[in-house]
Amino acid sequence: MDLDAVRSQALQCMDCSLSARRRNVVFGEGNPRAPLVLVGEGPGEQEDATGRPFVGRAGQLLDRALADNGLSREHVYICNTVKCRACDWIEDKPVNRAPTEQEARACRRWLVPQLAAISPKVILCVGAPSARNLIKKDFKITADRGKYFPCEYAKTAIATLHPAYILRQQSATHDGGYSLLAADIARAWEAAQRLLKASVGSSEPEPAAVQSSLFD
Ligand code: URA
């Protein structure tokens, strides 16, 4: 399926209860031919209101970390593990919560063909839930962030800290992990560029030996 077809079907999705009160399905945006795809957790209030990923405070921090690496949203593609805002309704007011495993599983119906249509060299999982969905179930973000892992949907995947987590950790004397986020983006982008160069002029998939030497 091409990306537009996946998007138009996802916009109609009623597969889980998050569809009941969403304002928008937040499918994803950016460069659909990018070698690097960033996959976050799921839309919050601003994203639900606008239909665009990472446009709230966390998104602004992510944009800053991209810009500190000379990148913008035109260089990458950005999407989420779940496409609809996860929240509980308490006295008819929305209270954000993390998406459940079942919601993440249901939304793989859209994420997997979305990634297949883009076919990125590298996936950067933004936050632990994304890494648990795409890399391995027991992913530990503090121990495993910044490392290359095999991934079914790209040549390799790396995970980084979620900017919302960084915002919560930041203080007058501590960057909250911002420098790690910026460094992980740099690492993911470098790998994407190396893999892109390695594949130019070669219609064959890279042999396993070449692949692993790219990440020594
Ligand atoms: N957090 C995410 O994980 N994704 C968004 O789109 C916004 C905030």
Side-chain angles (χ1 to χ4, degrees):
M1 246 197 300
D2 74 19
L3 195 58
D4 287 340
V6 185
R7 174 194 285 273
S8 56
Q9 289 188 27
L11 296 189
Q12 315 289 325
C13 180
M14 305 288 272
D15 282 0
C16 83
S17 60
L18 299 185
S19 60
R21 300 185 80 160
R22 71 173 176 232
R23 283 183 280 180
N24 283 290
V25 173
V26 181
F27 182 70
E29 68 177 32
N31 181 349
R33 290 189 322 209
L36 174 62
V37 172
L38 278 58
V39 182
E41 183 174 319
E45 185 184 0
Q46 305 285 317
E47 292 77 18
D48 179 53
T50 57
R52 299 184 55 213
F54 281 103
V55 291
R57 280 186 70 220
Q60 286 160 22
L61 195 68
L62 186 63
D63 284 341
R64 195 179 120 203
L66 286 169
D68 283 349
N69 280 292
L71 301 172
S72 74
R73 286 180 185 232
E74 282 159 31
H75 294 93
V76 297
Y77 188 91
I78 303 183
C79 62
N80 279 303
T81 303
V82 300
K83 313 296 188 205
C84 297
R85 182 187 185 191
C87 51
D88 293 320
W89 290 83
I90 297 171
E91 291 174 3
D92 233 23
K93 291 212 171 65
V95 178
N96 282 342
R97 63 162 171 80
T100 64
E101 250 185 69
Q102 292 93 310
E103 288 159 351
R105 207 173 314 123
C107 224
R108 286 173 69 93
R109 177 176 175 196
W110 308 119
L111 180 60
V112 169
Q114 181 174 37
L115 293 173
I118 300 166
S119 187
K121 300 291 183 204
V122 179
I123 293 173
L124 179 64
C125 296
V126 181
S130 169
R132 293 194 187 118
N133 191 36
L134 293 175
I135 299 177
K136 55 176 180 169
K137 274 202 167 105
D138 61 347
F139 194 92
K140 302 271 183 304
I141 196 80
T142 37
D144 291 337
R145 56 140 285 282
K147 298 179 188 163
Y148 298 113
F149 286 90
C151 177
E152 216 180 314
Y153 313 105
K155 298 262 177 233
T156 190
I158 309 178
T160 192
L161 301 177
H162 196 287
Y165 166 84
I166 295 171
L167 287 170
R168 290 195 297 274
Q169 302 301 310
Q170 276 178 339
S171 69
T173 55
H174 185 43
D175 81 352
Y178 176 80
S179 53
L180 297 177
L181 170 66
D184 292 340
I185 290 174
R187 210 163 145 68
W189 183 250
E190 277 162 26
Q193 293 305 305
R194 264 184 288 155
L195 284 162
L196 204 55
K197 280 196 194 111
S199 66
V200 168
S202 131
S203 53
E204 299 294 314
E206 295 99 28
V210 174
Q211 259 189 52
S212 66
S213 73
L214 286 164
F215 300 111
D216 286 344

